[in-house]
Amino acid sequence: MDLQNVREILILPERTAEALVPVFKYLETLFDAEREERREKQRLADEKEDDLDDGLGDEEEDTEFVAVMRKLGDASRDEKWRLPIGESGILSLAAQVLDEKAGVHELQRQALRICGNTCAEQDVNREILISRPNGLKAFIVAITNIDLIDYAIPVLFNVIVNYEPAQKKAIEDGAGDALFQLLNQVDVVAEDVEDGTQVTQAEHLLKLADIFATHDSFKEGLDPSSLAALLRYTLSPKLQDLDLYSYLLTIITHLLGNVKFQRYLINTTSVKVLLDVLEDSYSRFSKDDSPETAKILTHLRKALIATLSDVSSNPAFPEKYPLETSSLLKKLHAWLSTPEVAPDSGNKRAYLLSEALQTSACIMLGNLATSDTACRTLVQTHRIHIPIIKIMGQKSKDAGTVYSAVGMLRNLVLPLENKPIVGSPDSGIWDALETRWEHALEGGIEKQVPYTVSGLGRVLVRGCQENVLQLLQKTKKPLPDSGDKITTRLSVLLRMWAKLDELPIKTEIARTVSELLRAIAKWKVTGDDYEEVSEVMRQVFNVEGKYAEYERLVPVVVSLVAQNKWPAMRSEGLFVFGLLCSGFGKVPGQTVATELDKEGPRKVWALREQWWEFVTGEKTVPGQLEPGKIAGEVGEDKKEEESEKKEEESEKKEEESEKKEEESEKKEEESEKKEEESEKKEEEEEEEEAEEKKPLEGKDYANALVMIAQIRERLVGELPAEENQSLDELFKKLVITSQLDVVGC
């Protein structure tokens, strides 16, 4: 066997492992001879007490072994030879050549070529390499060898790309330290003006680091100070290659997903550097306006903002950047006040920068606003809510920016002391809320924003008398189709509840109404400002009928009771029903319910068809009216009853004639039976749904009991006998059930 025979085999039409067996045996012979020759050279060098200089002279010999390996390296570029080279053992032998730390560099280059080519998209061959006792250690060593680096880096990439076992093995064998040792040596941002070698090396290194950085084991084993070099490269004005920039930012965001790197960034006060990277990303590549570049940069910026959120969520962040003195927080505050830029201003880059800076500032400051103390400092000392409210109220703002602003405001108004400050008309928050509500009704913004805005309204109102009154104030613009009726902020919320389909939004609005009614009840029973409370009650009950959408108030509370998704909210709805039916309770010293106190139970009872089944489990509603009748009318016309009886008699006659027709329909019975079976299934499903809707558990019985008791007490003498009897029976049933429930607990 010689080189000519190898050439002849490699041009055979059939490319099989069997055909390569003689080549493999020949290579083994050459490899053994090469190693023996090296040992002899080493022995002679030792005798002369001289270094072998890694077995290399100034000139490398192109031996028979090197020539055959080169030929196989060429052949491995042919996809059809790749599996046979692996199966024949030649791939393993090439890896053994790399295991020999001392050797002819040209031989190692050809061994790398064989390994790299045969592993391209061939997981079987990759498995051969990682299963070796020495694994991928020789490849890791090769990438740090200046004479082999140009071959070793793309070869290692071919071995690991899209193959997780090889990635994990490379990390285990020390790829992380080796890569970052090289990144510190190679000037990533300097391109060789003659042939681009430097930038090519950097790109390959960053490709590898990008792959490895997705693995926790890589991040755990890597020195966190490695982050500093990446940030330095990213901010270098010489970096104008988009691919390199993209790899750098992706690696940075991957690493900062790990707590260890977050702490390093925080403890070295380098968070500001990351803010600089975000800001810089909007001026870099400014001359490239291609859609592809814009898409890449948008993705990178979003990842950066998410990373800033993660870093600011780290418990070490508020310790290193205190609210009172941190210059970083002053920078974030300044970002909030970035001048408004309209999306259609012609300066899209400035608009995007403004949105990104404000979004990041809201998220990071919002992560600091996680305690009452921090929230009080941000509102009462820094007045941070003012620029955030302004952001929320700008109709042209991006949905993500508004969402982050609303999220922070929700945190800020959790402490009771902050509610009247943030809810003050001077702060502009109610105008901003009206803008967002109006936008939601127009369908002009993503669904998540109306949800968070509704939640903000709920938290503002909770336990705050001042904000309750603000919610009941007139809006700047009336609702469309509201006629002469007065539009209040509550009117707008009730219209949103009716118009929007998303259950989470409807539920948040219902909970806001619930908080409003709770606040009124608490206010009333204190006995203070009774005249003002009475006026509020008259408005809420819409006694004069002059407020738009207020007829939806009770149905909104019903929706909390009727839903099955959140049991706690169902209990909340039943509790609020009790408040409505009690007329918000009695003021101190009150013994007799006033007409105003009766408005609540009247309205709840008038809409009993909407809640009766959910509270009782029964479908038959006492005093149920025919379709087309107005819910809540008491009594039935006797003449109508007589006409109904006549209709029943005529229906009986029709039934007799139908019986005759049934004889001719016997042939269709078989198909009807099938239909009946499907109908039975549907009925079973309906029964299952009814069981699911069987709503009352635990304290729900007590809340329902209070509601029914209040209706009985407040409306005594107003209801027909049949309805009074139904109320009595339901009251007894709830008493018994609630007692059983207590015993069961």
Side-chain angles (χ1 to χ4, degrees):
M1 174 68 66
D2 58 18
L3 181 59
Q4 181 58 35
N5 298 135
V6 173
R7 289 194 183 104
E8 292 171 357
I9 290 172
L10 293 177
I11 62 173
L12 291 172
E14 293 185 8
R15 292 163 171 75
T16 63
E18 290 77 11
L20 292 177
V21 170
V23 178
F24 171 68
K25 291 181 178 179
Y26 181 46
L27 281 174
E28 281 189 313
T29 303
L30 294 174
F31 192 20
D32 290 341
E34 193 270 344
R35 281 188 291 194
E36 184 59 37
E37 182 180 350
R38 289 191 53 75
R39 291 193 193 99
E40 181 61 22
K41 286 182 179 180
Q42 185 66 53
R43 186 182 63 76
L44 293 173
D46 290 343
E47 289 178 358
K48 294 179 180 180
E49 297 183 354
D50 191 12
D51 290 334
L52 186 59
D53 191 28
D54 288 337
L56 291 173
D58 292 336
E59 297 182 1
E60 298 180 9
E61 296 181 11
D62 197 1
T63 63
E64 180 82 359
F65 191 18
V66 171
V68 174
M69 292 288 281
R70 183 181 295 114
K71 209 65 186 170
L72 286 164
D74 293 340
S76 65
R77 294 164 65 184
D78 184 344
E79 186 177 351
K80 294 179 181 179
W81 269 125
R82 291 173 185 170
L83 286 178
I85 288 174
E87 293 169 3
S88 66
I90 293 174
L91 175 61
S92 296
L93 188 142
Q96 288 179 46
V97 170
L98 294 173
D99 289 338
E100 300 283 332
K101 294 181 181 178
V104 180
H105 286 157
E106 183 59 27
L107 179 61
Q108 292 180 318
R109 291 188 193 104
Q110 299 310 320
L112 284 167
R113 288 183 66 217
I114 293 171
C115 293
N117 289 338
T118 54
C119 285
E121 301 179 355
Q122 298 295 338
D123 291 348
V124 174
N125 287 343
R126 291 166 173 168
E127 186 62 32
I128 290 172
L129 292 184
I130 66 175
S131 300
R132 299 178 326 111
N134 204 35
L136 299 178
K137 291 177 183 176
F139 296 85
I140 308 302
V141 172
I143 67 173
T144 62
N145 187 322
I146 192 171
D147 293 306
L148 299 175
I149 187 171
D150 291 340
Y151 286 80
I153 293 175
V155 166
L156 183 59
F157 180 82
N158 269 9
V159 172
I160 69 165
V161 67
N162 299 326
Y163 191 58
E164 192 168 318
Q167 295 166 17
K168 291 181 177 179
K169 184 63 178 172
I171 294 168
E172 180 186 325
D173 290 344
D177 290 336
L179 273 178
F180 276 86
Q181 177 186 336
L182 282 170
L183 284 171
N184 283 320
Q185 293 172 356
V186 174
D187 188 355
V188 171
V189 298
E191 181 174 355
D192 187 310
V193 294
E194 293 183 359
D195 59 9
T197 301
Q198 190 84 347
V199 75
T200 302
Q201 280 188 3
E203 184 173 351
H204 286 146
L205 285 172
L206 292 174
K207 277 184 180 180
L208 289 171
D210 183 28
I211 293 171
F212 291 138
T214 60
H215 293 273
D216 290 337
S217 57
F218 176 79
K219 289 177 270 194
E220 291 296 337
L222 193 63
D223 187 333
S225 64
S226 305
L227 190 63
L230 297 174
L231 290 169
R232 185 176 68 253
Y233 287 139
T234 304
L235 284 172
S236 171
K238 294 188 293 182
L239 179 57
Q240 294 300 322
D241 185 277
L242 180 60
D243 289 336
L244 293 184
Y245 184 76
S246 177
Y247 285 128
L248 281 166
L249 282 188
T250 303
I251 296 165
I252 288 169
T253 53
H254 280 320
L255 294 181
L256 285 172
N258 183 280
V259 174
K260 179 176 72 173
F261 287 89
Q262 291 174 11
R263 286 177 182 157
Y264 170 82
L265 193 77
I266 293 167
N267 292 332
T268 57
T269 62
S270 299
V271 177
K272 184 178 179 300
V273 179
L274 200 60
L275 296 181
D276 292 340
V277 170
L278 176 63
E279 204 164 2
D280 171 76
S281 71
Y282 286 87
S283 57
R284 196 176 294 272
F285 309 109
S286 57
K287 294 180 181 179
D288 186 352
D289 294 328
S290 68
E292 186 60 31
T293 297
K295 184 178 179 180
I296 293 170
L297 290 173
T298 298
H299 173 74
L300 294 172
R301 289 161 185 159
K302 286 182 177 179
L304 265 177
I305 292 172
T307 299
L308 287 167
S309 174
D310 292 340
V311 171
S312 58
S313 297
N314 191 296
F317 185 73
E319 297 174 7
K320 198 68 177 179
Y321 299 97
L323 288 172
E324 293 79 6
T325 58
S326 171
S327 60
L328 176 74
L329 299 185
K330 292 178 182 177
K331 184 179 181 74
L332 293 175
H333 199 163
W335 279 11
L336 290 176
S337 303
T338 303
E340 181 182 0
V341 182
D344 56 355
S345 64
N347 192 346
K348 186 176 181 181
R349 195 178 299 275
Y351 167 73
L352 293 174
L353 173 61
S354 171
E355 298 295 308
L357 298 185
Q358 291 181 341
T359 299
S360 302
C362 287
I363 291 172
M364 296 181 75
L365 290 168
N367 287 337
L368 286 173
T370 53
S371 70
D372 285 357
T373 301
C375 289
R376 283 193 289 266
T377 300
L378 286 167
V379 169
Q380 298 173 27
T381 303
H382 296 287
R383 304 284 292 171
I384 203 79
H385 58 289
I386 300 298
I388 299 175
I389 289 170
K390 185 177 179 182
I391 291 170
M392 185 183 77
Q394 293 172 15
K395 205 167 183 179
S396 62
K397 279 293 175 187
D398 176 74
T401 308
V402 175
Y403 180 73
S404 59
V406 175
M408 185 180 178
L409 281 170
R410 284 183 65 174
N411 284 1
L412 293 177
V413 297
L414 287 173
L416 191 60
E417 307 96 305
N418 283 358
K419 292 179 189 290
I421 299 173
V422 178
S424 166
D426 295 337
S427 74
I429 194 166
W430 296 103
D431 291 340
L433 282 170
E434 285 184 34
T435 298
R436 295 267 66 94
W437 293 337
E438 179 185 353
H439 210 189
L441 287 170
E442 293 170 352
I445 203 162
E446 281 77 354
K447 295 176 182 178
Q448 196 67 11
V449 173
Y451 170 72
T452 55
V453 170
S454 301
L456 172 61
R458 174 176 60 82
V459 180
L460 268 173
V461 168
R462 183 194 297 160
C464 183
Q465 177 180 323
E466 294 91 336
N467 291 342
V468 166
L469 293 174
Q470 286 300 320
L471 188 61
L472 297 175
Q473 295 300 308
K474 288 174 62 176
T475 57
K476 288 184 176 181
K477 294 193 298 185
L479 283 169
D481 306 321
S482 58
D484 296 332
K485 291 188 176 181
I486 299 170
T487 297
T488 67
R489 290 163 183 152
L490 178 59
S491 302
V492 180
L493 276 180
L494 295 172
R495 173 72 66 88
M496 282 175 62
W497 178 85
K499 184 174 180 180
L500 301 180
D501 296 327
E502 294 74 19
L503 180 60
I505 299 174
K506 294 173 82 75
T507 303
E508 276 299 285
I509 293 171
R511 295 184 71 196
T512 303
V513 172
S514 171
E515 291 292 351
L516 168 75
L517 300 178
R518 280 173 175 265
I520 295 171
K522 186 176 180 181
W523 185 5
K524 180 183 178 184
V525 297
T526 61
D528 298 332
D529 302 320
Y530 182 66
E531 290 185 6
E532 189 174 8
V533 177
S534 297
E535 191 58 38
V536 168
M537 290 173 60
R538 291 182 68 81
Q539 178 178 337
V540 169
F541 291 141
N542 202 15
V543 175
E544 289 86 6
K546 63 182 181 180
Y547 293 100
E549 303 291 326
Y550 275 41
E551 68 276 5
R552 301 188 195 279
L553 191 140
V554 175
V556 165
V557 181
V558 170
S559 70
L560 282 179
V561 178
Q563 57 82 32
N564 290 305
K565 194 170 184 179
W566 300 288
M569 294 182 195
R570 169 176 292 180
S571 298
E572 183 179 331
L574 284 167
F575 177 78
V576 173
F577 260 169
L579 294 180
L580 285 170
C581 293
S582 67
F584 298 112
K586 297 177 181 179
V587 298
Q590 182 183 10
T591 56
V592 180
T594 65
E595 281 300 305
L596 184 57
D597 291 333
K598 295 179 180 181
E599 285 295 326
R602 284 171 182 158
K603 290 184 180 299
V604 172
W605 185 248
L607 293 173
R608 59 192 175 279
E609 290 184 11
Q610 297 184 23
W611 56 260
W612 187 266
E613 181 181 350
F614 297 102
V615 173
T616 67
E618 301 171 358
K619 292 189 176 183
T620 303
V621 182
Q624 190 170 25
L625 306 178
E626 294 179 11
K629 293 285 185 179
I630 299 173
E633 287 184 350
V634 180
E636 293 289 333
D637 195 309
K638 291 182 179 180
K639 291 181 179 179
E640 289 184 5
E641 290 180 2
E642 291 176 1
S643 63
E644 285 177 4
K645 287 180 181 179
K646 291 179 180 180
E647 287 179 6
E648 287 177 4
E649 290 176 1
S650 62
E651 285 175 2
K652 287 181 181 179
K653 292 179 180 180
E654 288 179 5
E655 286 177 4
E656 291 176 0
S657 62
E658 285 175 1
K659 287 180 181 179
K660 295 179 181 179
E661 292 178 4
E662 285 177 4
E663 294 177 359
S664 62
E665 294 174 355
K666 286 182 180 180
K667 295 180 181 179
E668 299 177 4
E669 283 182 1
E670 292 181 2
S671 60
E672 287 178 0
K673 285 181 181 179
K674 292 180 181 179
E675 289 179 8
E676 286 175 6
E677 289 175 1
S678 63
E679 285 175 5
K680 284 181 181 179
K681 289 182 179 179
E682 288 178 5
E683 287 175 5
E684 289 173 0
E685 289 174 358
E686 286 177 4
E687 288 176 5
E688 289 177 3
E689 287 180 7
E691 287 179 6
E692 288 179 3
K693 289 181 179 179
K694 186 179 172 184
L696 304 185
E697 294 179 2
K699 64 180 180 180
D700 291 349
Y701 283 108
N703 288 332
L705 185 60
V706 169
M707 178 183 78
I708 298 303
Q710 290 294 333
I711 293 174
R712 290 172 74 233
E713 177 185 344
R714 304 276 175 158
L715 302 186
V716 61
E718 288 192 17
L719 302 180
E722 177 193 349
E723 294 177 22
N724 274 323
Q725 183 179 352
S726 297
L727 275 172
D728 290 340
E729 291 173 357
L730 177 57
F731 181 76
K732 292 175 184 177
K733 176 182 176 182
L734 290 171
V735 169
I736 294 170
T737 311
S738 61
Q739 289 173 344
L740 291 173
D741 187 69
V742 171
V743 172
C745 291

